[in-house]
Amino acid sequence: MATLTPTLTLVSTDVFTDSLNLSVTDSLSVLGVSKRFTVVVDSSETELYTDGNLILAAADYTKSYVYFKNKSSTAAEIITLGVADNDGSGDDALETTNMSLGAGEFAFYPWDSSLDIVADAASGTPVLDVMVFQAAA
């Protein structure tokens, strides 16, 4: 079993009337699949599952911790992450948005792996950095 130690630090002197200085950390047990890869998210795809914008398939994982980063430096290349085809219509379009990552933005969060994660780009072909760490049972 491996251990993953995420730390988040938020510091600001002007976002609130008081200074903000917050740091939280945790120790996460990781067992099973751990992967790191990049994927080009193509804005021209309408069938997100069949045309290659399926990022993480729920069937391949149990509860996991995921990291995403939009590696683009172009403001218009926003990557939207969510789930698709949950209405049974067969169109495979992005139907539920979990988050949108602008150029350089990132996210790290626990994923219950109950639904596949797909991605779509607002424009262009930005690169998405992906890391997944399967949690210990």
Side-chain angles (χ1 to χ4, degrees), residues 41 68-72 74-83 94-109 117-123 126-128:
V41 181
F68 297 112
K69 182 176 183 181
N70 180 346
K71 296 182 78 169
S72 178
T74 303
E77 292 186 337
I78 298 165
I79 297 174
T80 301
L81 293 151
V83 296
L94 183 68
E95 293 165 352
T96 303
T97 298
N98 291 345
M99 71 184 71
S100 292
L101 298 176
E105 291 183 333
F106 66 92
F108 178 81
Y109 65 98
I117 297 176
V118 295
D120 198 12
S123 69
V127 174
L128 181 66

Side-chain angles (χ1 to χ4, degrees), residues 6-81:
T7 302
L8 174 68
T9 301
L10 302 174
V11 178
S12 177
T13 59
D14 58 1
V15 74
F16 296 126
T17 54
D18 296 331
S19 292
L20 173 65
N21 190 351
L22 170 73
S23 184
V24 293
T25 191
D26 200 355
S27 181
L28 308 175
S29 296
V30 175
L31 180 64
V33 178
S34 292
K35 292 183 182 177
R36 181 178 187 175
F37 59 95
T38 58
V39 63
V40 174
V41 181
D42 192 340
S43 63
S44 67
E45 305 298 356
T46 55
E47 301 293 323
L48 299 181
Y49 279 111
T50 57
D51 291 345
N53 286 2
L54 172 62
I55 306 302
L56 294 173
D60 294 344
Y61 302 93
T62 59
K63 179 184 175 172
S64 299
Y65 306 102
V66 295
Y67 167 85
F68 297 112
K69 182 176 183 181
N70 180 346
K71 296 182 78 169
S72 178
S73 58
T74 303
E77 292 186 337
I78 298 165
I79 297 174
T80 301
L81 293 151

